[in-house]
Amino acid sequence: MSSSLQHRVRLGVNVDHVATIRQARGTRYPDPVFAAQLAEQAGADQITIHLREDRRHIQERDLQVLRKTVQVPLNLEMAATAAMVELALRYLPDIVTLVPERREEQTTEGGLDVVANAANLANVVAQLRNKDIVVSLFIDPEASQVAMAAQLQVHTIELHTGDYCNARSQAVQHHHLTQLRLAALQSHDLGLQVAAGHGLDYRNVGAVARLPHMAELNIGHAIVAQALLVGMERAVRQMSEAMHKPMELGH
Ligand code: PXP
């Protein structure tokens, strides 16, 4: 397919790490809700947040406020637990992406094993679908996982791109890209919408965006990191101006 004919891949912006900085100091800023608004203005097609069990970044209140303020679809990543399902049914995000979660992990380190957890997932998927929430499963690019995802009757699978992004050689990267391509083809054949994410950055994103049937990418860390650097000069200038601003009466 020539690049001019290529379909547009939707960009889901994950604002978790704006909240990570806020939580590091226990302040009210930076506010992921404000970041989500700016992301939307800049063309984000979707806002993605992961409400983790340990609440290390996004808080329940963020979900509550984002649900009221975000105009594009809101995608809630969460573990397939009873407590999280209760929250999803209370706040009704447009999309729920079910992800595995271990407290000790730095980030989501692997896809959800939908084969091993099929019974629990079938129950969770049914509860969410019952409320018209679009359900996505975050899985590794493996044939058995894709096949089970289709059996679970979800709308979307999000392919875990971590192994591709972490590859240290071109050969290994190529191998993982092939796995992603095969999984994308299989998913499409089975009627699933194809998304991908995890570890994508400004250099490695292009090849994933060009995979067949790719509809959506969810990207967080690289965008928040880049936002810090491209905003640093302006932020320092603003602080310097604040230091030398004439004092207002009463201060
Ligand atoms: N998609 C899913 C399902 C995730 O769990 C994450 C991480 O929260 C992302 C995408 C975004 O990953 P990154 O922050 O590495 O871009």
Side-chain angles (χ1 to χ4, degrees):
M1 204 187 287
S2 85
S3 59
S4 60
L5 289 176
Q6 206 176 300
H7 69 283
R8 192 176 167 279
V9 180
R10 291 158 32 83
L11 172 60
V13 176
N14 179 316
V15 294
D16 289 353
H17 295 312
V18 177
T20 301
I21 297 177
R22 177 191 61 191
Q23 298 309 114
R25 277 295 185 89
T27 47
R28 290 187 176 209
Y29 67 89
D31 185 352
V33 175
F34 191 23
Q37 274 171 18
L38 294 173
E40 263 189 61
Q41 281 170 31
D45 298 293
Q46 170 167 299
I47 298 298
T48 297
I49 51 170
H50 185 175
L51 184 61
R52 294 187 73 104
E53 198 186 9
D54 63 9
R55 304 294 194 267
R56 67 173 74 158
H57 38 55
I58 294 293
Q59 307 297 305
E60 187 179 330
R61 186 175 178 280
D62 297 322
L63 168 60
Q64 184 184 24
V65 179
L66 284 165
R67 176 60 296 182
K68 290 188 182 143
T69 53
V70 168
Q71 311 271 328
V72 291
L74 179 65
N75 174 23
L76 174 64
E77 297 173 358
M78 58 176 232
T81 62
M84 286 309 307
V85 170
E86 199 186 312
L87 286 177
L89 298 181
R90 186 178 318 153
Y91 295 112
L92 301 174
D94 302 280
I95 303 140
V96 162
T97 301
L98 296 172
V99 300
E101 207 173 288
R102 283 187 292 121
R103 267 176 191 269
E104 66 276 17
E105 69 191 355
Q106 217 178 16
T107 178
T108 315
E109 281 159 10
L112 193 60
D113 187 344
V114 295
V115 177
N117 295 295
N120 177 46
L121 288 171
N123 175 31
V124 169
V125 169
Q127 290 186 69
L128 297 170
R129 284 190 47 166
N130 212 12
K131 291 282 181 192
D132 291 329
I133 297 173
V134 169
V135 184
S136 175
L137 299 176
F138 186 47
I139 58 172
D140 289 325
E142 288 170 15
S144 57
Q145 298 293 333
V146 174
M148 182 54 83
Q151 276 192 44
L152 288 166
Q153 297 189 326
V154 293
H155 182 267
T156 306
I157 47 96
E158 179 170 337
L159 297 172
H160 195 306
T161 49
D163 286 341
Y164 158 78
C165 295
N166 293 334
R168 301 223 166 189
S169 72
Q170 274 199 348
V172 174
Q173 193 179 47
H174 185 260
H175 165 76
H176 290 300
L177 195 60
T178 303
Q179 299 302 110
L180 289 164
R181 176 175 293 107
L182 293 173
L185 290 168
Q186 182 192 359
S187 303
H188 179 76
D189 283 350
L190 293 171
L192 295 160
Q193 175 176 265
V194 185
H198 208 282
L200 294 172
D201 63 26
Y202 291 83
R203 282 181 309 121
N204 62 27
V205 72
V208 176
R210 282 185 198 85
L211 286 174
H213 312 298
M214 189 52 66
E216 170 191 307
L217 298 179
N218 287 296
I219 307 178
H221 184 258
I223 293 177
V224 174
Q226 180 76 350
L228 279 180
L229 295 190
V230 300
M232 183 58 88
E233 243 185 283
R234 216 168 131 203
V236 171
R237 250 188 231 115
Q238 287 176 351
M239 184 56 80
S240 186
E241 277 165 27
M243 285 163 58
H244 302 107
K245 205 166 77 177
M247 296 272 280
E248 281 166 26
L249 283 178
H251 284 78

